Amino acid sequence: MAEPIVEKPVLFHSDNGLCLMSGDLTLLPDFEDMLPRLRPSNLNSEIVVKAARFKNADHPLVAVDATAGLGEDSMLLASAGFTVHMYERNHDIAALLKDAVSRALDSEHEVIRNAAARMVLHCEDSISAMRNLAFSPDLILLDPMFPIRQKSGLIKKKFQLLQQLESPAEDETALLDAALSARPLRIIIKRPAKGPYLAGVKPSYSIKGGNTRFDCIVL
């Protein structure tokens, strides 16, 4: 039996913003969809916000999202008060993220506009970037693509679409070593709840929620 033809994802401008399309699937990142999650009562319950929380911080907090993707976790961290430097090596994904942030800056919702103003996009490889940062981050977030994630429905299809553009992390050790070299106060690593530790390194502690786990390394 012949293998099905997989259409290469392509970018195109729609009336609503920059989209990624492959076959009959269209992906349009839109931070407006996250509005319910950004309300204070819900935001504080987000597992990434719990993992990133600093008690009695005496300065503006700066985070690096080293594997930004479509920026959902960056938006959550920015809504929690962080200035977030987002690193995305794939030019198509970075273009989608740049367009989504641009639209968020014009949002009618103040919480989205304020968060977007604290999101800084870098279209480059984060491994090299973290070894040469011109600033000292308080927090580094790592969320390398994981090939065995179990998702269903539309979420699974969108994840598979992104995987056509960007493969799972090829060198977990290099990614973690680069994050350590930046000497943040904390590294948080997003993993499937039952997934292995990144590069086999045991964290200081872990925070679990649903199908996701954040491994936290305190330096």
Short mmCIF file of all heavy atoms in Angstrom, two decimals, residues 189-218:
data_model
loop_
_atom_site.label_atom_id
_atom_site.label_comp_id
_atom_site.label_asym_id
_atom_site.label_seq_id
_atom_site.Cartn_x
_atom_site.Cartn_y
_atom_site.Cartn_z
N ILE A 189 11.23 22.69 33.85
CA ILE A 189 11.24 21.84 32.67
C ILE A 189 9.88 21.16 32.54
O ILE A 189 9.46 20.41 33.43
CB ILE A 189 12.34 20.78 32.76
CG1 ILE A 189 13.70 21.44 33.04
CG2 ILE A 189 12.39 19.95 31.48
CD1 ILE A 189 14.78 20.47 33.47
N LYS A 190 9.20 21.43 31.45
CA LYS A 190 7.86 20.86 31.23
C LYS A 190 8.00 19.47 30.64
O LYS A 190 8.66 19.28 29.62
CB LYS A 190 7.08 21.78 30.28
CG LYS A 190 5.60 21.44 30.15
CD LYS A 190 4.93 22.51 29.28
CE LYS A 190 3.44 22.32 29.22
NZ LYS A 190 2.79 23.40 28.41
N ARG A 191 7.36 18.51 31.30
CA ARG A 191 7.45 17.12 30.86
C ARG A 191 6.06 16.47 30.94
O ARG A 191 5.20 16.91 31.69
CB ARG A 191 8.40 16.31 31.77
CG ARG A 191 9.79 16.90 31.91
CD ARG A 191 10.51 16.97 30.58
NE ARG A 191 11.02 15.67 30.16
CZ ARG A 191 11.42 15.41 28.92
NH1 ARG A 191 11.33 16.32 27.99
NH2 ARG A 191 11.91 14.23 28.61
N PRO A 192 5.85 15.38 30.19
CA PRO A 192 4.65 14.58 30.40
C PRO A 192 4.68 14.03 31.82
O PRO A 192 5.77 13.76 32.36
CB PRO A 192 4.78 13.46 29.36
CG PRO A 192 5.72 14.00 28.34
CD PRO A 192 6.68 14.88 29.08
N ALA A 193 3.53 13.84 32.43
CA ALA A 193 3.45 13.45 33.84
C ALA A 193 4.29 12.22 34.15
O ALA A 193 4.92 12.13 35.21
CB ALA A 193 2.01 13.22 34.24
N LYS A 194 4.33 11.27 33.23
CA LYS A 194 5.07 10.03 33.47
C LYS A 194 6.33 9.94 32.61
O LYS A 194 6.93 8.87 32.49
CB LYS A 194 4.16 8.82 33.21
CG LYS A 194 2.96 8.76 34.16
CD LYS A 194 2.12 7.52 33.90
CE LYS A 194 0.92 7.46 34.84
NZ LYS A 194 0.07 6.27 34.59
N GLY A 195 6.75 11.06 32.05
CA GLY A 195 7.93 11.06 31.19
C GLY A 195 9.21 11.07 32.00
O GLY A 195 9.23 11.38 33.19
N PRO A 196 10.32 10.73 31.36
CA PRO A 196 11.62 10.71 32.04
C PRO A 196 12.12 12.12 32.30
O PRO A 196 11.64 13.10 31.70
CB PRO A 196 12.53 9.98 31.05
CG PRO A 196 11.93 10.30 29.71
CD PRO A 196 10.44 10.34 29.94
N TYR A 197 13.09 12.25 33.19
CA TYR A 197 13.73 13.54 33.42
C TYR A 197 14.50 13.96 32.17
O TYR A 197 15.05 13.12 31.46
CB TYR A 197 14.70 13.46 34.60
CG TYR A 197 14.06 13.13 35.93
CD1 TYR A 197 14.63 12.19 36.79
CD2 TYR A 197 12.90 13.78 36.34
CE1 TYR A 197 14.05 11.89 38.02
CE2 TYR A 197 12.31 13.48 37.57
CZ TYR A 197 12.89 12.54 38.40
OH TYR A 197 12.31 12.25 39.61
N LEU A 198 14.55 15.25 31.93
CA LEU A 198 15.31 15.77 30.80
C LEU A 198 16.79 15.44 30.99
O LEU A 198 17.38 15.74 32.04
CB LEU A 198 15.11 17.28 30.68
CG LEU A 198 15.77 17.93 29.45
CD1 LEU A 198 15.05 17.50 28.18
CD2 LEU A 198 15.77 19.45 29.57
N ALA A 199 17.38 14.81 29.98
CA ALA A 199 18.80 14.41 30.00
C ALA A 199 19.13 13.52 31.20
O ALA A 199 20.29 13.39 31.58
CB ALA A 199 19.71 15.64 29.99
N GLY A 200 18.10 12.92 31.81
CA GLY A 200 18.31 12.03 32.94
C GLY A 200 18.71 12.72 34.24
O GLY A 200 19.11 12.05 35.19
N VAL A 201 18.57 14.04 34.30
CA VAL A 201 18.98 14.80 35.49
C VAL A 201 17.81 14.94 36.45
O VAL A 201 16.77 15.48 36.09
CB VAL A 201 19.52 16.19 35.09
CG1 VAL A 201 19.84 17.01 36.33
CG2 VAL A 201 20.75 16.04 34.21
N LYS A 202 18.01 14.49 37.68
CA LYS A 202 16.95 14.57 38.69
C LYS A 202 16.81 16.01 39.18
O LYS A 202 17.79 16.67 39.52
CB LYS A 202 17.28 13.66 39.88
CG LYS A 202 16.16 13.59 40.92
CD LYS A 202 16.50 12.58 42.01
CE LYS A 202 15.38 12.50 43.03
NZ LYS A 202 15.69 11.51 44.11
N PRO A 203 15.59 16.54 39.21
CA PRO A 203 15.38 17.93 39.63
C PRO A 203 15.40 18.09 41.14
O PRO A 203 15.41 17.10 41.89
CB PRO A 203 14.00 18.24 39.06
CG PRO A 203 13.29 16.92 39.12
CD PRO A 203 14.34 15.88 38.80
N SER A 204 15.36 19.34 41.58
CA SER A 204 15.27 19.62 43.02
C SER A 204 13.92 19.18 43.55
O SER A 204 13.80 18.66 44.66
CB SER A 204 15.48 21.12 43.27
OG SER A 204 16.70 21.57 42.72
N TYR A 205 12.88 19.41 42.76
CA TYR A 205 11.53 18.97 43.10
C TYR A 205 10.68 19.05 41.85
O TYR A 205 11.10 19.62 40.83
CB TYR A 205 10.91 19.82 44.22
CG TYR A 205 10.78 21.29 43.90
CD1 TYR A 205 9.61 21.81 43.34
CD2 TYR A 205 11.84 22.17 44.15
CE1 TYR A 205 9.50 23.16 43.04
CE2 TYR A 205 11.72 23.52 43.86
CZ TYR A 205 10.55 24.00 43.30
OH TYR A 205 10.45 25.34 43.00
N SER A 206 9.48 18.48 41.91
CA SER A 206 8.57 18.50 40.76
C SER A 206 7.19 18.95 41.21
O SER A 206 6.78 18.75 42.36
CB SER A 206 8.46 17.10 40.13
OG SER A 206 9.71 16.67 39.62
N ILE A 207 6.47 19.57 40.29
CA ILE A 207 5.09 19.98 40.51
C ILE A 207 4.25 19.30 39.43
O ILE A 207 4.52 19.45 38.24
CB ILE A 207 4.93 21.51 40.43
CG1 ILE A 207 5.76 22.18 41.52
CG2 ILE A 207 3.46 21.90 40.56
CD1 ILE A 207 5.71 23.70 41.46
N LYS A 208 3.23 18.56 39.85
CA LYS A 208 2.42 17.81 38.90
C LYS A 208 1.03 18.43 38.77
O LYS A 208 0.48 18.97 39.72
CB LYS A 208 2.30 16.35 39.35
CG LYS A 208 3.62 15.61 39.39
CD LYS A 208 3.43 14.17 39.82
CE LYS A 208 4.78 13.44 39.85
NZ LYS A 208 4.62 12.02 40.29
N GLY A 209 0.49 18.31 37.54
CA GLY A 209 -0.86 18.77 37.29
C GLY A 209 -1.43 18.10 36.07
O GLY A 209 -0.93 18.31 34.95
N GLY A 210 -2.45 17.26 36.23
CA GLY A 210 -3.05 16.59 35.09
C GLY A 210 -2.05 15.71 34.38
O GLY A 210 -1.39 14.86 34.98
N ASN A 211 -1.91 15.93 33.07
CA ASN A 211 -0.99 15.13 32.26
C ASN A 211 0.40 15.74 32.15
O ASN A 211 1.24 15.25 31.39
CB ASN A 211 -1.57 14.95 30.84
CG ASN A 211 -2.86 14.16 30.85
OD1 ASN A 211 -3.01 13.21 31.62
ND2 ASN A 211 -3.81 14.56 30.01
N THR A 212 0.62 16.83 32.90
CA THR A 212 1.88 17.57 32.78
C THR A 212 2.61 17.62 34.11
O THR A 212 1.99 17.62 35.17
CB THR A 212 1.61 19.01 32.30
OG1 THR A 212 0.91 18.95 31.05
CG2 THR A 212 2.90 19.79 32.11
N ARG A 213 3.93 17.66 34.04
CA ARG A 213 4.77 17.78 35.23
C ARG A 213 5.83 18.84 34.96
O ARG A 213 6.37 18.91 33.86
CB ARG A 213 5.45 16.44 35.51
CG ARG A 213 6.29 16.41 36.78
CD ARG A 213 7.05 15.09 36.89
NE ARG A 213 8.27 15.07 36.08
CZ ARG A 213 8.56 14.13 35.19
NH1 ARG A 213 7.74 13.13 34.97
NH2 ARG A 213 9.71 14.20 34.50
N PHE A 214 6.11 19.69 35.95
CA PHE A 214 7.22 20.61 35.84
C PHE A 214 8.32 20.19 36.81
O PHE A 214 8.09 20.14 38.03
CB PHE A 214 6.77 22.05 36.15
CG PHE A 214 6.27 22.78 34.94
CD1 PHE A 214 4.93 22.73 34.59
CD2 PHE A 214 7.13 23.48 34.12
CE1 PHE A 214 4.46 23.38 33.47
CE2 PHE A 214 6.68 24.13 32.98
CZ PHE A 214 5.33 24.10 32.66
N ASP A 215 9.48 19.85 36.26
CA ASP A 215 10.64 19.54 37.07
C ASP A 215 11.40 20.85 37.31
O ASP A 215 11.70 21.58 36.36
CB ASP A 215 11.54 18.53 36.36
CG ASP A 215 10.86 17.17 36.20
OD1 ASP A 215 9.99 16.86 37.02
OD2 ASP A 215 11.22 16.44 35.26
N CYS A 216 11.69 21.13 38.57
CA CYS A 216 12.30 22.41 38.94
C CYS A 216 13.72 22.19 39.48
O CYS A 216 13.92 21.42 40.42
CB CYS A 216 11.45 23.12 40.00
SG CYS A 216 9.72 23.34 39.52
N ILE A 217 14.66 22.86 38.86
CA ILE A 217 16.07 22.81 39.31
C ILE A 217 16.40 24.16 39.91
O ILE A 217 16.36 25.19 39.23
CB ILE A 217 17.01 22.50 38.13
CG1 ILE A 217 16.68 21.13 37.54
CG2 ILE A 217 18.47 22.55 38.59
CD1 ILE A 217 17.50 20.78 36.30
N VAL A 218 16.72 24.17 41.19
CA VAL A 218 17.04 25.40 41.90
C VAL A 218 18.56 25.53 41.98
O VAL A 218 19.24 24.60 42.41
CB VAL A 218 16.44 25.41 43.32
CG1 VAL A 218 16.82 26.69 44.06
CG2 VAL A 218 14.92 25.28 43.23
#
